[in-house]
């Protein structure tokens, strides 16, 4: 009888050990384990614990980034002009507790399948509400404005259920089927760009002509200035030569005057000498 009791106790202890070992869990880096029951615990990509299925409940969430390509969304701007957008986004669990409570995810395999439709619906709702705040030309010209608006609205809504948006991108803004609004805008814009290009070319050509004319004018002014300086130099040289010649002429006249006076004096001396000689006889 005692042996039977020990046998049964041994089996129970062995079963308990097996159950504990079987439910001893090491949390991988890419998972979040949310444990509730006796007390609430979150193991975010690390840690280890014993899980008691008959006393606790467990939700296993993936930390992996999930890429979601939203089907083309048909929208209207504030003037009710139709257009569509292609949006791509990436999300992951940001708040494990909120995600476990709001999304009801209790299995890792269900994470992506539960998150995708919620993100899809949230983005479509945010896109429709935000698109109505802008006109289509602004949306086309300043894509980052509408992208930021939709991203902010989407991120705020998803954060309430523990989902974080890690990447958000509007890939295309297109006409809806049967509509040519964007194509018409693009044709008008293309015509405006071509017009501006032609005007720019004309202005550039005109500026080139003006520049060329200015260069020619400057060259002519420089030539005239050079000629003027050359003439001034020639005149100065001629004046200098004339002045030198005048000085030489004056000096020659002085020499002639001296020689003439000397000759006159010699002639007078000869006459005087002759007269004295005649008187002595």
């Amino acid at each position: 009888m005692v042996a039977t009791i020990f046998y049964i106790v041994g089996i129970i202890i062995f079963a308990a050990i097996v159950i504990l070992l079987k439910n001893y869990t090491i949390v991988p880096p890419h998972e979040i384990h949310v444990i509730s029951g006796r007390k609430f615990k979150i193991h975010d990509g690390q840690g280890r614990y014993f899980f008691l299925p008959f006393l606790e409940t467990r939700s296993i969430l993936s930390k992996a980034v999930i890429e979601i390509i939203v089907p083309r969304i048909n929208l209207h701007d504030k003037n009710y002009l139709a257009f569509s957008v292609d949006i791509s986004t990436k999300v992951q669990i940001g708040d494990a507790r909120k995600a476990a409570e709001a999304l009801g995810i209790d299995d890792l395999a269900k994470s992506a399948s539960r998150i995708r439709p919620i993100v899809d619906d949230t983005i479509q709702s945010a896109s429709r509400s935000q698109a109505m705040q802008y006109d289509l030309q602004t949306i086309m010209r300043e894509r980052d404005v509408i992208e930021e608006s939709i991203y902010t609205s989407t991120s705020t809504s998803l954060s309430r259920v523990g989902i974080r948006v890690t990447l958000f991108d509007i890939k295309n803004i297109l006409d809806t089927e049967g509509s040519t609004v964007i194509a018409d805008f693009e044709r008008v814009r293309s015509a405006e760009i071509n017009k501006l290009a032609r005007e720019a070319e004309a202005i550039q050509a005109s500026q080139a002509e003006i520049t060329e004319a200015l260069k020619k004018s400057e060259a002519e002014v420089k030539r005239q200035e050079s000629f003027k300086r050359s003439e001034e130099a020639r005149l100065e040289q001629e004046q200098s030569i004339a002045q030198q010649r005048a000085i030489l002429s004056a000096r020659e006249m002085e020499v002639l005057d001296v020689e003439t006076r000397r000759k006159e004096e010699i002639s007078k001396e000869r006459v005087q000498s002759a007269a004295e000689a005649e008187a002595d006889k």
Side-chain angles (χ1 to χ4, degrees):
M1 182 68 179
V2 175
T4 304
I5 294 173
F6 276 113
Y7 178 75
I8 294 171
V9 171
I11 292 175
I12 293 172
I13 293 172
F14 178 77
I17 292 172
V18 170
I19 291 172
L20 287 174
L21 291 176
K22 184 179 180 181
N23 289 282
Y24 180 72
T25 305
I26 298 175
V27 182
H30 62 280
E31 293 180 6
I32 303 172
H33 291 205
V34 181
I35 311 299
S36 59
R38 295 177 301 162
K39 54 185 177 178
F40 188 88
K41 291 182 181 179
I42 296 178
H43 298 276
D44 190 350
Q46 59 184 351
R48 57 192 68 194
Y49 62 92
F50 285 106
F51 174 60
L52 304 176
F54 46 88
L55 296 175
E56 299 172 323
T57 59
R58 176 172 62 182
S59 296
I60 301 178
L61 310 175
S62 173
K63 292 180 67 177
V65 174
I66 303 171
E67 183 175 11
I68 299 175
I69 306 297
V70 182
R72 185 163 295 175
I73 309 171
N74 293 328
L75 305 172
H76 292 89
D77 74 344
K78 69 178 184 179
N79 299 315
Y80 211 71
L81 293 176
F83 68 101
S84 61
V85 293
D86 292 333
I87 294 177
S88 172
T89 187
K90 292 183 179 180
V91 299
Q92 66 178 165
I93 298 297
D95 188 319
R97 182 167 188 164
K98 285 183 178 179
E101 292 174 351
L103 305 179
I105 300 173
D106 56 7
D107 186 357
L108 183 63
K110 298 178 182 177
S111 290
S113 61
R114 291 283 182 86
I115 289 173
R116 286 181 187 278
I118 293 172
V119 174
D120 191 314
D121 291 344
T122 303
I123 289 176
Q124 293 204 36
S125 177
S127 299
R128 292 189 176 94
S129 63
Q130 294 303 314
M132 296 292 288
Q133 307 299 317
Y134 304 92
D135 62 81
L136 186 52
Q137 284 184 311
T138 300
I139 292 171
M140 292 173 59
R141 186 174 57 251
E142 302 174 18
R143 179 180 297 194
D144 56 330
V145 174
I146 184 67
E147 185 174 88
E148 180 65 25
S149 296
I150 297 174
Y151 164 76
T152 301
S153 179
T154 300
S155 183
T156 301
S157 297
L158 291 177
S159 66
R160 298 191 184 101
V161 293
I163 299 174
R164 179 172 62 244
V165 179
T166 61
L167 180 67
F168 187 91
D169 180 38
I170 294 180
K171 293 187 173 296
N172 295 301
I173 300 177
L174 308 163
D175 274 319
T176 57
E177 186 176 355
S179 174
T180 60
V181 174
I182 292 178
D184 293 340
F185 278 150
E186 289 178 345
R187 278 195 294 271
V188 171
R189 182 59 179 163
S190 177
E192 290 177 353
I193 291 172
N194 290 335
K195 179 182 176 182
L196 291 173
R198 288 194 298 271
E199 291 176 351
E201 289 176 359
I203 291 171
Q204 188 174 7
S206 176
Q207 288 177 341
E209 291 176 358
I210 292 171
T211 301
E212 184 67 21
L214 287 173
K215 287 182 179 179
K216 288 181 179 179
S217 177
E218 289 173 357
E220 180 62 22
V221 169
K222 288 181 180 178
R223 188 189 66 78
Q224 291 180 2
E225 289 177 349
S226 177
F227 177 76
K228 182 180 178 181
R229 286 195 296 269
S230 177
E231 284 296 304
E232 289 175 349
R234 185 181 63 79
L235 291 173
E236 288 178 358
Q237 185 178 15
E238 289 178 354
Q239 289 176 356
S240 177
I241 293 171
Q243 288 175 354
Q244 294 295 327
R245 285 177 178 174
I247 292 170
L248 289 173
S249 296
R251 288 179 179 176
E252 289 175 355
M253 291 300 295
E254 290 177 357
V255 171
L256 288 174
D257 288 344
V258 171
E259 289 179 352
T260 301
R261 284 195 299 271
R262 182 59 182 164
K263 286 179 181 180
E264 289 177 353
E265 290 175 356
I266 293 171
S267 178
K268 286 180 181 180
E269 289 177 354
R270 286 178 179 176
V271 171
Q272 186 176 0
S273 296
E276 290 177 353
E278 185 67 30
D280 290 337
K281 290 180 179 182

